[in-house]
Each structure stands twice: as C-alpha cells, then as structure tokens.
Amino acid sequence: MKIGIIGSGNVGGTLGSRWAQAGHQIVFSSRSPDSDAMKALIGEAGPNARAATARDAAAASDVILVATPWPSTREALTGLGDLSGKILIDATNPLLPDLSGLAVGTTTSAGEQVAQWAPGAKVVKAFNTVGSNIMANASFGDHPVVLFYCGDDAGAKQTVHELARELGFDPHDAGPLTQARLLEPFALLWISLALVQGYGREIAFQFLRR
Ligand SMILES: NC(=O)c1ccc[n+]([C@@H]2O[C@H](COP(=O)([O-])OP(=O)(O)OC[C@H]3O[C@@H](n4cnc5c(N)ncnc54)[C@H](OP(=O)(O)O)[C@@H]3O)[C@@H](O)[C@H]2O)c1
C-alpha cells in the first residue's frame, strides 16, 4: 500500500519503517523533509521510503497515519488538502502536558475531532494504545499483544487490521469511531502503568476470549 506518515517521530517513524520493510511504499513527512533526522530515518527504513512535505505525502498515499502531538494535530491536518476517500489512521492521544489526564474525552474523543478536521476521510483510531517500543517489536513470546481499533468504515478497518497483523499484533475491531472515547483512556492506562506506576515501557495487554 501507499502510506503517508504525518508526524515522523517515535510513532510515525517506527510504524513507517516497519511497513516499509514489510514492502509498503512509505512517504514520511516533516516540516523539515531535508533534515539529517529525516535522512537517517529514510536510511533505516530502506528503499521503499522517501521524504516529502505533509501535503505531498497525503496526496501520494491511500492510507495516511497521523502521529502528531495532540496540540499540533488540527494544524497538521488542515494543511493536507482534500482527504476524501482516503483511510486516515489516527494514532494520537490527547494527553495533557504532564500526562495526568486527557484534554478531551467522555462525550467526545480525539478520534472524532480528527474526523471533523479531515472531512471525507475514513478515520480509524488505532495504534494509540501501545508504546512506540512495542510497535518496534510486538513479540512477547507466546502472548500476542492486542491492538484495538475503531472506526465507521468496514473496509478501512479491514485495511488497518491487516497493517497491524503484519507487524505481529493481535488486532480486534472495537466498534464505531465513538469507541475512541474508550481507547484513548485505555492508552492513558498504559502510559500511567509504564511511566508513573513503575512497570516500565516493556509492557502490553493481551485479549483473552472464551
Ligand atoms: N510515543 C509513544 O509511545 C506513543 C504511543 C501511542 C500514541 N502516541 C501518540 O502519537 C502522537 C505522536 O507521538 P510521538 O511520541 O511519535 O511524538 P514525536 O516523537 O514528538 O513526533 C511527532 C512528530 O510530529 C511532527 N510535528 C510536530 N508538530 C507538528 C505540526 N504542527 N505540524 C506537523 N507536524 C508536526 C514532528 O515532526 P517534524 O518536526 O519533523 O515536522 C514530530 O516528529 C501523539 O499524539 C502521542 O500521544 C505516542
């Protein structure tokens, strides 16, 4: 697939590199696409990756990953042009700066706000509930790491399901995009356990069913 990365940091850089190595065509974007950091990222990701402006990355892609800091997300989306029909994976978490809570929630979510800022795009909330270190390596022996996603377009969700499965996750459909109201606090639980409660970042959740 052709995947554009908006926000090529911890999350965007990691997911984009792994998808490039899996054979997808990746366009990383940056406000400084010619920077040394972007050159290093392209070198790591390999021949299936290149760098561009965010607008060019979006135009060239069928799938767009948005992985920007929450306060920058509206501005980042506004500059992308027409996103009608494109699959937009929203990996953001609307974290307060001190990680003590979420800036939006309960009656709406970052995922729903992203959908408003990207009219016509098929928004799927995904990859927000695991740390970027787990995105880099989702292996916990025999224990698959669950990756919940949600959205309102079945085809878009199936695409995201496959993209998560290719990286070694155990993907599950959590329902419509309003379920982002639950997936974003779930991400905060991971962050709290990892960074505040002392478990560290090498943790992940498993989904059991019977
Ligand atoms: N870190 C994690 O483990 C993790 C896990 C799950 C979800 N998340 C969420 O994913 C999002 C990204 O997190 P991250 O840790 O990857 O952040 P990060 O490392 O800071 O990367 C974010 C990137 O966004 C770009 N950016 C910043 N402001 C921008 C703007 N105004 N317009 C366009 N691009 C802008 C920056 O790239 P340039 O300076 O090159 O333009 C930066 O590299 C956040 O919402 C976070 O809550 C993070």
Side-chain angles (χ1 to χ4, degrees), residues 45-83:
N48 289 333
R50 65 182 175 90
T53 64
R55 199 178 179 91
D56 288 346
S61 304
D62 311 309
V63 177
I64 297 165
L65 172 76
V66 176
T68 44
W70 178 244
S72 308
T73 298
R74 182 175 193 166
E75 179 193 344
L77 285 168
T78 306
L80 296 185
D82 183 14
L83 301 179

PDB file of all heavy atoms in Angstrom, residues 45-83:
ATOM      1  N   ALA A  45      14.729   2.991   7.133  1.00  0.00           N
ATOM      2  CA  ALA A  45      13.516   2.369   6.583  1.00  0.00           C
ATOM      3  C   ALA A  45      13.802   1.621   5.283  1.00  0.00           C
ATOM      4  O   ALA A  45      13.103   0.665   4.954  1.00  0.00           O
ATOM      5  CB  ALA A  45      12.442   3.426   6.360  1.00  0.00           C
ATOM      6  N   GLY A  46      14.802   2.084   4.521  1.00  0.00           N
ATOM      7  CA  GLY A  46      15.184   1.351   3.314  1.00  0.00           C
ATOM      8  C   GLY A  46      14.572   1.901   2.037  1.00  0.00           C
ATOM      9  O   GLY A  46      13.965   2.972   2.030  1.00  0.00           O
ATOM     10  N   PRO A  47      14.725   1.154   0.949  1.00  0.00           N
ATOM     11  CA  PRO A  47      14.411   1.689  -0.379  1.00  0.00           C
ATOM     12  C   PRO A  47      12.933   1.962  -0.640  1.00  0.00           C
ATOM     13  O   PRO A  47      12.606   2.652  -1.607  1.00  0.00           O
ATOM     14  CB  PRO A  47      14.925   0.585  -1.326  1.00  0.00           C
ATOM     15  CG  PRO A  47      15.039  -0.638  -0.490  1.00  0.00           C
ATOM     16  CD  PRO A  47      15.314  -0.190   0.903  1.00  0.00           C
ATOM     17  N   ASN A  48      12.042   1.433   0.191  1.00  0.00           N
ATOM     18  CA  ASN A  48      10.613   1.700  -0.023  1.00  0.00           C
ATOM     19  C   ASN A  48      10.154   3.004   0.616  1.00  0.00           C
ATOM     20  O   ASN A  48       8.955   3.294   0.608  1.00  0.00           O
ATOM     21  CB  ASN A  48       9.772   0.560   0.557  1.00  0.00           C
ATOM     22  CG  ASN A  48       9.903  -0.705  -0.254  1.00  0.00           C
ATOM     23  OD1 ASN A  48      10.178  -0.655  -1.447  1.00  0.00           O
ATOM     24  ND2 ASN A  48       9.724  -1.847   0.387  1.00  0.00           N
ATOM     25  N   ALA A  49      11.095   3.793   1.176  1.00  0.00           N
ATOM     26  CA  ALA A  49      10.709   5.012   1.889  1.00  0.00           C
ATOM     27  C   ALA A  49      11.339   6.243   1.254  1.00  0.00           C
ATOM     28  O   ALA A  49      12.441   6.184   0.719  1.00  0.00           O
ATOM     29  CB  ALA A  49      11.135   4.912   3.352  1.00  0.00           C
ATOM     30  N   ARG A  50      10.599   7.342   1.304  1.00  0.00           N
ATOM     31  CA  ARG A  50      11.142   8.633   0.887  1.00  0.00           C
ATOM     32  C   ARG A  50      10.541   9.712   1.774  1.00  0.00           C
ATOM     33  O   ARG A  50       9.597   9.447   2.538  1.00  0.00           O
ATOM     34  CB  ARG A  50      10.858   8.906  -0.586  1.00  0.00           C
ATOM     35  CG  ARG A  50       9.407   9.073  -0.945  1.00  0.00           C
ATOM     36  CD  ARG A  50       9.235   9.280  -2.441  1.00  0.00           C
ATOM     37  NE  ARG A  50       7.843   9.334  -2.858  1.00  0.00           N
ATOM     38  CZ  ARG A  50       7.109  10.452  -2.929  1.00  0.00           C
ATOM     39  NH1 ARG A  50       7.633  11.616  -2.596  1.00  0.00           N
ATOM     40  NH2 ARG A  50       5.846  10.414  -3.324  1.00  0.00           N
ATOM     41  N   ALA A  51      11.072  10.925   1.660  1.00  0.00           N
ATOM     42  CA  ALA A  51      10.591  12.037   2.478  1.00  0.00           C
ATOM     43  C   ALA A  51       9.955  13.098   1.599  1.00  0.00           C
ATOM     44  O   ALA A  51      10.349  13.278   0.445  1.00  0.00           O
ATOM     45  CB  ALA A  51      11.743  12.642   3.273  1.00  0.00           C
ATOM     46  N   ALA A  52       8.966  13.794   2.152  1.00  0.00           N
ATOM     47  CA  ALA A  52       8.267  14.838   1.402  1.00  0.00           C
ATOM     48  C   ALA A  52       7.613  15.785   2.397  1.00  0.00           C
ATOM     49  O   ALA A  52       7.686  15.581   3.614  1.00  0.00           O
ATOM     50  CB  ALA A  52       7.210  14.207   0.490  1.00  0.00           C
ATOM     51  N   THR A  53       6.958  16.799   1.862  1.00  0.00           N
ATOM     52  CA  THR A  53       6.124  17.636   2.721  1.00  0.00           C
ATOM     53  C   THR A  53       4.867  16.845   3.088  1.00  0.00           C
ATOM     54  O   THR A  53       4.516  15.865   2.431  1.00  0.00           O
ATOM     55  CB  THR A  53       5.693  18.908   1.981  1.00  0.00           C
ATOM     56  OG1 THR A  53       4.865  18.513   0.880  1.00  0.00           O
ATOM     57  CG2 THR A  53       6.894  19.700   1.481  1.00  0.00           C
ATOM     58  N   ALA A  54       4.183  17.314   4.118  1.00  0.00           N
ATOM     59  CA  ALA A  54       2.978  16.597   4.552  1.00  0.00           C
ATOM     60  C   ALA A  54       1.922  16.587   3.453  1.00  0.00           C
ATOM     61  O   ALA A  54       1.255  15.566   3.227  1.00  0.00           O
ATOM     62  CB  ALA A  54       2.434  17.250   5.820  1.00  0.00           C
ATOM     63  N   ARG A  55       1.758  17.684   2.773  1.00  0.00           N
ATOM     64  CA  ARG A  55       0.742  17.758   1.707  1.00  0.00           C
ATOM     65  C   ARG A  55       1.056  16.765   0.586  1.00  0.00           C
ATOM     66  O   ARG A  55       0.165  16.065   0.098  1.00  0.00           O
ATOM     67  CB  ARG A  55       0.681  19.188   1.161  1.00  0.00           C
ATOM     68  CG  ARG A  55      -0.601  19.492   0.422  1.00  0.00           C
ATOM     69  CD  ARG A  55      -0.633  20.944  -0.049  1.00  0.00           C
ATOM     70  NE  ARG A  55      -1.858  21.204  -0.775  1.00  0.00           N
ATOM     71  CZ  ARG A  55      -2.984  21.649  -0.237  1.00  0.00           C
ATOM     72  NH1 ARG A  55      -3.035  21.875   1.057  1.00  0.00           N
ATOM     73  NH2 ARG A  55      -4.059  21.865  -0.974  1.00  0.00           N
ATOM     74  N   ASP A  56       2.326  16.673   0.204  1.00  0.00           N
ATOM     75  CA  ASP A  56       2.719  15.731  -0.850  1.00  0.00           C
ATOM     76  C   ASP A  56       2.569  14.282  -0.363  1.00  0.00           C
ATOM     77  O   ASP A  56       2.154  13.409  -1.131  1.00  0.00           O
ATOM     78  CB  ASP A  56       4.161  15.985  -1.289  1.00  0.00           C
ATOM     79  CG  ASP A  56       4.291  17.264  -2.106  1.00  0.00           C
ATOM     80  OD1 ASP A  56       3.244  17.789  -2.541  1.00  0.00           O
ATOM     81  OD2 ASP A  56       5.422  17.737  -2.280  1.00  0.00           O
ATOM     82  N   ALA A  57       2.912  14.042   0.887  1.00  0.00           N
ATOM     83  CA  ALA A  57       2.779  12.682   1.430  1.00  0.00           C
ATOM     84  C   ALA A  57       1.324  12.244   1.411  1.00  0.00           C
ATOM     85  O   ALA A  57       1.010  11.107   1.053  1.00  0.00           O
ATOM     86  CB  ALA A  57       3.334  12.627   2.852  1.00  0.00           C
ATOM     87  N   ALA A  58       0.427  13.149   1.783  1.00  0.00           N
ATOM     88  CA  ALA A  58      -1.002  12.812   1.794  1.00  0.00           C
ATOM     89  C   ALA A  58      -1.506  12.583   0.374  1.00  0.00           C
ATOM     90  O   ALA A  58      -2.237  11.619   0.112  1.00  0.00           O
ATOM     91  CB  ALA A  58      -1.789  13.928   2.477  1.00  0.00           C
ATOM     92  N   ALA A  59      -1.106  13.448  -0.550  1.00  0.00           N
ATOM     93  CA  ALA A  59      -1.594  13.332  -1.931  1.00  0.00           C
ATOM     94  C   ALA A  59      -1.133  12.030  -2.579  1.00  0.00           C
ATOM     95  O   ALA A  59      -1.847  11.443  -3.401  1.00  0.00           O
ATOM     96  CB  ALA A  59      -1.118  14.532  -2.743  1.00  0.00           C
ATOM     97  N   ALA A  60       0.050  11.555  -2.199  1.00  0.00           N
ATOM     98  CA  ALA A  60       0.635  10.373  -2.842  1.00  0.00           C
ATOM     99  C   ALA A  60       0.134   9.061  -2.237  1.00  0.00           C
ATOM    100  O   ALA A  60       0.499   7.994  -2.722  1.00  0.00           O
ATOM    101  CB  ALA A  60       2.158  10.428  -2.710  1.00  0.00           C
ATOM    102  N   SER A  61      -0.703   9.127  -1.206  1.00  0.00           N
ATOM    103  CA  SER A  61      -0.987   7.921  -0.418  1.00  0.00           C
ATOM    104  C   SER A  61      -2.470   7.586  -0.368  1.00  0.00           C
ATOM    105  O   SER A  61      -3.328   8.459  -0.456  1.00  0.00           O
ATOM    106  CB  SER A  61      -0.477   8.124   1.008  1.00  0.00           C
ATOM    107  OG  SER A  61       0.901   8.437   0.978  1.00  0.00           O
ATOM    108  N   ASP A  62      -2.746   6.282  -0.195  1.00  0.00           N
ATOM    109  CA  ASP A  62      -4.115   5.805   0.015  1.00  0.00           C
ATOM    110  C   ASP A  62      -4.439   5.740   1.506  1.00  0.00           C
ATOM    111  O   ASP A  62      -5.593   5.831   1.911  1.00  0.00           O
ATOM    112  CB  ASP A  62      -4.278   4.381  -0.556  1.00  0.00           C
ATOM    113  CG  ASP A  62      -3.737   4.287  -1.972  1.00  0.00           C
ATOM    114  OD1 ASP A  62      -4.133   5.123  -2.790  1.00  0.00           O
ATOM    115  OD2 ASP A  62      -2.917   3.387  -2.230  1.00  0.00           O
ATOM    116  N   VAL A  63      -3.387   5.521   2.293  1.00  0.00           N
ATOM    117  CA  VAL A  63      -3.530   5.430   3.747  1.00  0.00           C
ATOM    118  C   VAL A  63      -2.641   6.505   4.361  1.00  0.00           C
ATOM    119  O   VAL A  63      -1.489   6.671   3.944  1.00  0.00           O
ATOM    120  CB  VAL A  63      -3.089   4.038   4.269  1.00  0.00           C
ATOM    121  CG1 VAL A  63      -3.161   3.983   5.787  1.00  0.00           C
ATOM    122  CG2 VAL A  63      -3.934   2.938   3.653  1.00  0.00           C
ATOM    123  N   ILE A  64      -3.176   7.231   5.341  1.00  0.00           N
ATOM    124  CA  ILE A  64      -2.409   8.295   5.998  1.00  0.00           C
ATOM    125  C   ILE A  64      -2.388   8.010   7.492  1.00  0.00           C
ATOM    126  O   ILE A  64      -3.447   7.831   8.109  1.00  0.00           O
ATOM    127  CB  ILE A  64      -3.062   9.667   5.734  1.00  0.00           C
ATOM    128  CG1 ILE A  64      -3.040   9.970   4.235  1.00  0.00           C
ATOM    129  CG2 ILE A  64      -2.373  10.768   6.518  1.00  0.00           C
ATOM    130  CD1 ILE A  64      -3.948  11.098   3.840  1.00  0.00           C
ATOM    131  N   LEU A  65      -1.198   7.929   8.044  1.00  0.00           N
ATOM    132  CA  LEU A  65      -1.056   7.773   9.501  1.00  0.00           C
ATOM    133  C   LEU A  65      -0.821   9.155  10.101  1.00  0.00           C
ATOM    134  O   LEU A  65       0.126   9.849   9.703  1.00  0.00           O
ATOM    135  CB  LEU A  65       0.136   6.864   9.840  1.00  0.00           C
ATOM    136  CG  LEU A  65       0.466   6.808  11.338  1.00  0.00           C
ATOM    137  CD1 LEU A  65      -0.537   5.931  12.089  1.00  0.00           C
ATOM    138  CD2 LEU A  65       1.887   6.304  11.568  1.00  0.00           C
ATOM    139  N   VAL A  66      -1.658   9.530  11.058  1.00  0.00           N
ATOM    140  CA  VAL A  66      -1.472  10.811  11.757  1.00  0.00           C
ATOM    141  C   VAL A  66      -0.910  10.511  13.140  1.00  0.00           C
ATOM    142  O   VAL A  66      -1.570   9.856  13.960  1.00  0.00           O
ATOM    143  CB  VAL A  66      -2.792  11.590  11.859  1.00  0.00           C
ATOM    144  CG1 VAL A  66      -2.594  12.871  12.664  1.00  0.00           C
ATOM    145  CG2 VAL A  66      -3.304  11.920  10.461  1.00  0.00           C
ATOM    146  N   ALA A  67       0.325  10.964  13.364  1.00  0.00           N
ATOM    147  CA  ALA A  67       1.018  10.697  14.633  1.00  0.00           C
ATOM    148  C   ALA A  67       1.729  11.967  15.076  1.00  0.00           C
ATOM    149  O   ALA A  67       2.955  12.021  15.199  1.00  0.00           O
ATOM    150  CB  ALA A  67       1.996   9.542  14.476  1.00  0.00           C
ATOM    151  N   THR A  68       0.931  12.990  15.283  1.00  0.00           N
ATOM    152  CA  THR A  68       1.448  14.287  15.714  1.00  0.00           C
ATOM    153  C   THR A  68       1.103  14.513  17.187  1.00  0.00           C
ATOM    154  O   THR A  68       0.142  13.925  17.697  1.00  0.00           O
ATOM    155  CB  THR A  68       0.803  15.410  14.880  1.00  0.00           C
ATOM    156  OG1 THR A  68      -0.601  15.139  14.766  1.00  0.00           O
ATOM    157  CG2 THR A  68       1.397  15.484  13.495  1.00  0.00           C
ATOM    158  N   PRO A  69       1.851  15.381  17.863  1.00  0.00           N
ATOM    159  CA  PRO A  69       1.421  15.760  19.216  1.00  0.00           C
ATOM    160  C   PRO A  69       0.006  16.341  19.146  1.00  0.00           C
ATOM    161  O   PRO A  69      -0.321  17.061  18.200  1.00  0.00           O
ATOM    162  CB  PRO A  69       2.444  16.834  19.624  1.00  0.00           C
ATOM    163  CG  PRO A  69       3.632  16.601  18.732  1.00  0.00           C
ATOM    164  CD  PRO A  69       3.078  16.077  17.443  1.00  0.00           C
ATOM    165  N   TRP A  70      -0.827  16.016  20.139  1.00  0.00           N
ATOM    166  CA  TRP A  70      -2.223  16.428  20.061  1.00  0.00           C
ATOM    167  C   TRP A  70      -2.393  17.933  19.799  1.00  0.00           C
ATOM    168  O   TRP A  70      -3.185  18.316  18.924  1.00  0.00           O
ATOM    169  CB  TRP A  70      -2.984  15.997  21.322  1.00  0.00           C
ATOM    170  CG  TRP A  70      -4.399  16.454  21.293  1.00  0.00           C
ATOM    171  CD1 TRP A  70      -4.998  17.335  22.135  1.00  0.00           C
ATOM    172  CD2 TRP A  70      -5.404  16.081  20.331  1.00  0.00           C
ATOM    173  NE1 TRP A  70      -6.309  17.533  21.773  1.00  0.00           N
ATOM    174  CE2 TRP A  70      -6.575  16.785  20.664  1.00  0.00           C
ATOM    175  CE3 TRP A  70      -5.413  15.230  19.225  1.00  0.00           C
ATOM    176  CZ2 TRP A  70      -7.757  16.653  19.931  1.00  0.00           C
ATOM    177  CZ3 TRP A  70      -6.582  15.107  18.481  1.00  0.00           C
ATOM    178  CH2 TRP A  70      -7.733  15.810  18.843  1.00  0.00           C
ATOM    179  N   PRO A  71      -1.666  18.814  20.481  1.00  0.00           N
ATOM    180  CA  PRO A  71      -1.904  20.247  20.250  1.00  0.00           C
ATOM    181  C   PRO A  71      -1.604  20.685  18.808  1.00  0.00           C
ATOM    182  O   PRO A  71      -2.083  21.733  18.375  1.00  0.00           O
ATOM    183  CB  PRO A  71      -0.942  20.936  21.238  1.00  0.00           C
ATOM    184  CG  PRO A  71      -0.650  19.905  22.266  1.00  0.00           C
ATOM    185  CD  PRO A  71      -0.674  18.592  21.546  1.00  0.00           C
ATOM    186  N   SER A  72      -0.814  19.907  18.066  1.00  0.00           N
ATOM    187  CA  SER A  72      -0.455  20.257  16.681  1.00  0.00           C
ATOM    188  C   SER A  72      -1.339  19.569  15.650  1.00  0.00           C
ATOM    189  O   SER A  72      -1.196  19.829  14.448  1.00  0.00           O
ATOM    190  CB  SER A  72       0.998  19.835  16.398  1.00  0.00           C
ATOM    191  OG  SER A  72       1.869  20.329  17.365  1.00  0.00           O
ATOM    192  N   THR A  73      -2.226  18.708  16.085  1.00  0.00           N
ATOM    193  CA  THR A  73      -2.908  17.816  15.145  1.00  0.00           C
ATOM    194  C   THR A  73      -3.880  18.562  14.227  1.00  0.00           C
ATOM    195  O   THR A  73      -3.914  18.310  13.016  1.00  0.00           O
ATOM    196  CB  THR A  73      -3.615  16.690  15.917  1.00  0.00           C
ATOM    197  OG1 THR A  73      -2.601  15.949  16.616  1.00  0.00           O
ATOM    198  CG2 THR A  73      -4.371  15.754  14.995  1.00  0.00           C
ATOM    199  N   ARG A  74      -4.625  19.495  14.765  1.00  0.00           N
ATOM    200  CA  ARG A  74      -5.579  20.224  13.912  1.00  0.00           C
ATOM    201  C   ARG A  74      -4.840  20.980  12.815  1.00  0.00           C
ATOM    202  O   ARG A  74      -5.204  20.903  11.640  1.00  0.00           O
ATOM    203  CB  ARG A  74      -6.410  21.189  14.760  1.00  0.00           C
ATOM    204  CG  ARG A  74      -7.444  21.921  13.931  1.00  0.00           C
ATOM    205  CD  ARG A  74      -8.356  22.793  14.762  1.00  0.00           C
ATOM    206  NE  ARG A  74      -9.501  23.221  13.983  1.00  0.00           N
ATOM    207  CZ  ARG A  74     -10.583  23.764  14.492  1.00  0.00           C
ATOM    208  NH1 ARG A  74     -10.691  23.932  15.806  1.00  0.00           N
ATOM    209  NH2 ARG A  74     -11.575  24.141  13.709  1.00  0.00           N
ATOM    210  N   GLU A  75      -3.767  21.686  13.220  1.00  0.00           N
ATOM    211  CA  GLU A  75      -2.963  22.445  12.249  1.00  0.00           C
ATOM    212  C   GLU A  75      -2.349  21.503  11.205  1.00  0.00           C
ATOM    213  O   GLU A  75      -2.362  21.793  10.001  1.00  0.00           O
ATOM    214  CB  GLU A  75      -1.850  23.197  13.001  1.00  0.00           C
ATOM    215  CG  GLU A  75      -0.932  23.995  12.121  1.00  0.00           C
ATOM    216  CD  GLU A  75       0.320  24.457  12.875  1.00  0.00           C
ATOM    217  OE1 GLU A  75       0.330  24.416  14.121  1.00  0.00           O
ATOM    218  OE2 GLU A  75       1.279  24.841  12.193  1.00  0.00           O
ATOM    219  N   ALA A  76      -1.856  20.374  11.659  1.00  0.00           N
ATOM    220  CA  ALA A  76      -1.234  19.423  10.724  1.00  0.00           C
ATOM    221  C   ALA A  76      -2.248  18.920   9.703  1.00  0.00           C
ATOM    222  O   ALA A  76      -1.946  18.808   8.510  1.00  0.00           O
ATOM    223  CB  ALA A  76      -0.628  18.259  11.508  1.00  0.00           C
ATOM    224  N   LEU A  77      -3.463  18.634  10.151  1.00  0.00           N
ATOM    225  CA  LEU A  77      -4.489  18.110   9.238  1.00  0.00           C
ATOM    226  C   LEU A  77      -4.985  19.169   8.267  1.00  0.00           C
ATOM    227  O   LEU A  77      -5.248  18.881   7.094  1.00  0.00           O
ATOM    228  CB  LEU A  77      -5.666  17.562  10.051  1.00  0.00           C
ATOM    229  CG  LEU A  77      -5.426  16.229  10.737  1.00  0.00           C
ATOM    230  CD1 LEU A  77      -6.530  15.928  11.727  1.00  0.00           C
ATOM    231  CD2 LEU A  77      -5.334  15.112   9.701  1.00  0.00           C
ATOM    232  N   THR A  78      -5.076  20.385   8.743  1.00  0.00           N
ATOM    233  CA  THR A  78      -5.617  21.462   7.917  1.00  0.00           C
ATOM    234  C   THR A  78      -4.785  21.675   6.662  1.00  0.00           C
ATOM    235  O   THR A  78      -5.315  22.045   5.617  1.00  0.00           O
ATOM    236  CB  THR A  78      -5.680  22.767   8.749  1.00  0.00           C
ATOM    237  OG1 THR A  78      -6.405  22.493   9.936  1.00  0.00           O
ATOM    238  CG2 THR A  78      -6.386  23.881   7.988  1.00  0.00           C
ATOM    239  N   GLY A  79      -3.486  21.409   6.767  1.00  0.00           N
ATOM    240  CA  GLY A  79      -2.610  21.656   5.622  1.00  0.00           C
ATOM    241  C   GLY A  79      -2.549  20.522   4.612  1.00  0.00           C
ATOM    242  O   GLY A  79      -1.814  20.626   3.622  1.00  0.00           O
ATOM    243  N   LEU A  80      -3.307  19.471   4.800  1.00  0.00           N
ATOM    244  CA  LEU A  80      -3.120  18.281   3.954  1.00  0.00           C
ATOM    245  C   LEU A  80      -3.893  18.304   2.640  1.00  0.00           C
ATOM    246  O   LEU A  80      -3.644  17.475   1.776  1.00  0.00           O
ATOM    247  CB  LEU A  80      -3.504  17.014   4.732  1.00  0.00           C
ATOM    248  CG  LEU A  80      -2.648  16.696   5.956  1.00  0.00           C
ATOM    249  CD1 LEU A  80      -3.067  15.365   6.561  1.00  0.00           C
ATOM    250  CD2 LEU A  80      -1.169  16.689   5.605  1.00  0.00           C
ATOM    251  N   GLY A  81      -4.846  19.229   2.503  1.00  0.00           N
ATOM    252  CA  GLY A  81      -5.652  19.242   1.281  1.00  0.00           C
ATOM    253  C   GLY A  81      -6.807  18.258   1.376  1.00  0.00           C
ATOM    254  O   GLY A  81      -7.176  17.812   2.470  1.00  0.00           O
ATOM    255  N   ASP A  82      -7.365  17.902   0.222  1.00  0.00           N
ATOM    256  CA  ASP A  82      -8.562  17.060   0.181  1.00  0.00           C
ATOM    257  C   ASP A  82      -8.218  15.611   0.533  1.00  0.00           C
ATOM    258  O   ASP A  82      -7.410  14.975  -0.152  1.00  0.00           O
ATOM    259  CB  ASP A  82      -9.168  17.135  -1.222  1.00  0.00           C
ATOM    260  CG  ASP A  82     -10.454  16.330  -1.322  1.00  0.00           C
ATOM    261  OD1 ASP A  82     -11.010  15.953  -0.262  1.00  0.00           O
ATOM    262  OD2 ASP A  82     -10.899  16.074  -2.458  1.00  0.00           O
ATOM    263  N   LEU A  83      -8.821  15.096   1.594  1.00  0.00           N
ATOM    264  CA  LEU A  83      -8.548  13.720   2.033  1.00  0.00           C
ATOM    265  C   LEU A  83      -9.722  12.791   1.734  1.00  0.00           C
ATOM    266  O   LEU A  83      -9.763  11.666   2.240  1.00  0.00           O
ATOM    267  CB  LEU A  83      -8.240  13.701   3.535  1.00  0.00           C
ATOM    268  CG  LEU A  83      -7.042  14.550   3.984  1.00  0.00           C
ATOM    269  CD1 LEU A  83      -6.873  14.461   5.499  1.00  0.00           C
ATOM    270  CD2 LEU A  83      -5.770  14.117   3.277  1.00  0.00           C
TER     271      LEU A  83
END
